[in-house]
Amino acid sequence: MSVIKVKVPASSANIGPGFDSIGMALNLYNIFSFEEIDRGLEIIGSLEDKKAKDHLVYSSMVKVFERVGYFPKGIKIKIEASIPISRGLGSSASCILAGVIGANKMAGSPLTQEEIFKIATEIEGHPDNIAPALFGGFVSSLMEGEKIYYNKIDISKGLKFIAIIPDFTLSTRRAREVLPRVISHREAVENVSRLALLISALSNGRFDLLRPALKDKLHQPYRGELIEGFTALMDKIYDLGALGGYLSGAGPTIMAMIKEEDFGFIKEIKAYLESISLGWDVKELEMDLEGAQIVEKP
Ligand code: HSE
């Protein structure tokens, strides 16, 4: 039987003050292959230590099959993963999207791109990773009851993104548990102002505004506490000339935005991490503009 191959980019959500509402796709990919087989469920290269039926890719496929009324006899899933798990780089969103896109294709493509977006967002619970991973680029999104709005934003050229990836995981569930239920009106105004400043600065290339624009009162101060040395590392990336820094998604990855022509930053941040005995991974990334793709047609 024919194989359906789906390639999904990593994504970095929240981006400073944009908690649950903005994200961008990055050029790091998970590749998923799907095949309808005679019976059973086979998962090769699993990203999760879970029983096959509870696997996020498979459970996302089942949601689509139930919705469209297609019932395959058996499924084989192969995963070639490059996106690190539970690090704030959209590994879960990639699994959900791949499952939804793969199942839709298997069922003869009855769903539109908008329906794929809606189902995947319902499974994830928030759209800020799903939207960029599906559509590519930098995407803002809003959930209003049943409706989800999104808009792709052109951001000025001239930036590179350096992901500083800790050697430990942080589950989104735990990272959401530490968030406050209520914040003050003044803090809300501050976040709205910073988000407006951030979007405008990224749009017209005022990269000098990124540092104040990327501060946040909704999640970073609380989640930063879960990451030893977070504040010192944020200070360090600015010392080394970064234009901006923020906690990627639910963390623990810290993302530095640097000038395209800054060739020294990576070496220096690696040397710093070594000097404090942290064997964390550092990846230089660019924005992915394509989003999720079916790469091999049967
Ligand atoms: N916006 C989400 C959060 C991203 O910060 O919890 C992680 O799934």
Side-chain angles (χ1 to χ4, degrees):
M1 293 205 188
S2 54
V3 175
I4 298 159
K5 219 173 199 184
V6 182
K7 179 179 167 191
V8 188
S11 49
S12 177
N14 296 333
I15 314 188
F19 180 74
D20 270 4
S21 54
I22 53 172
M24 65 177 156
L26 296 164
N27 66 338
L28 183 68
Y29 302 92
N30 282 350
I31 297 170
F32 304 80
S33 305
F34 300 97
E35 197 176 351
E36 195 168 337
I37 54 177
D38 286 337
R39 65 189 145 88
L41 171 62
E42 204 181 314
I43 302 179
I44 304 165
S46 173
L47 285 169
E48 294 174 279
D49 185 20
K50 276 190 177 170
K51 285 202 191 91
K53 280 196 184 307
D54 297 330
H55 197 286
L56 195 50
V57 181
Y58 178 69
S59 58
S60 303
M61 295 185 86
V62 169
K63 285 254 175 349
V64 172
F65 292 144
E66 284 168 353
R67 177 84 59 102
V68 304
Y70 183 81
F71 302 102
K73 286 183 264 165
I75 301 276
K76 182 170 165 185
I77 304 169
K78 186 173 152 210
I79 306 168
E80 297 157 80
S82 299
I83 307 171
I85 305 166
S86 292
R87 299 298 205 291
L89 290 168
S91 165
S92 302
S94 85
C95 290
I96 294 168
L97 267 180
V100 172
I101 293 169
N104 181 49
K105 180 78 184 164
M106 204 172 268
S109 304
L111 301 175
T112 63
Q113 194 80 334
E114 300 296 314
E115 286 168 325
I116 287 173
F117 177 46
K118 193 152 190 279
I119 294 170
T121 301
E122 278 165 14
I123 299 170
E124 173 98 314
H126 41 84
D128 50 333
N129 286 101
I130 296 288
L134 178 59
F135 302 115
F138 189 103
V139 189
S140 61
S141 45
L142 163 70
M143 283 178 88
E144 191 184 63
E146 291 281 286
K147 233 177 144 38
I148 315 167
Y149 301 92
Y150 72 91
N151 193 19
K152 235 172 135 162
I153 305 164
D154 279 338
I155 77 164
S156 260
K157 292 206 185 318
L159 289 177
K160 284 193 294 204
F161 306 97
I162 309 298
I164 303 163
I165 309 170
D167 55 3
F168 55 88
T169 59
L170 180 53
S171 79
T172 298
R173 195 203 295 171
R174 173 150 182 254
R176 287 183 91 86
E177 275 167 9
V178 300
L179 302 180
R181 295 276 155 265
V182 177
I183 60 158
S184 69
H185 189 271
R186 191 184 53 74
E187 287 173 318
V189 170
E190 203 185 289
N191 255 65
V192 170
S193 311
R194 291 190 198 281
L195 185 54
L197 193 66
L198 176 65
I199 302 288
S200 63
L202 287 170
S203 304
N204 66 6
R206 281 289 308 276
F207 298 146
D208 58 305
L209 296 173
L210 290 177
R211 189 171 181 170
L214 283 165
K215 288 186 190 157
D216 156 68
K217 289 282 169 63
L218 288 178
H219 80 116
Q220 287 189 162
Y222 308 97
R223 290 168 167 178
E225 298 278 314
L226 304 175
I227 302 161
E228 211 187 318
F230 174 73
T231 309
L233 188 54
M234 288 295 276
D235 290 344
K236 191 69 194 176
I237 66 171
Y238 284 116
D239 285 352
L240 296 178
L243 297 164
Y246 65 90
L247 193 63
S248 181
T253 291
I254 291 158
M255 193 69 77
M257 293 178 168
I258 65 169
K259 289 190 193 115
E260 214 166 42
E261 64 273 18
D262 182 345
F263 299 108
F265 182 88
I266 276 226
K267 221 171 121 199
E268 288 171 19
I269 197 73
K270 281 184 179 167
Y272 168 73
L273 291 169
E274 266 170 39
S275 76
I276 55 168
S277 305
L278 288 182
W280 294 5
D281 195 11
V282 179
K283 283 190 196 309
E284 179 177 322
L285 301 169
E286 283 170 25
M287 198 176 288
D288 165 281
L289 297 173
E290 303 287 313
Q293 303 284 326
I294 293 178
V295 286
E296 229 171 65
K297 294 218 167 105

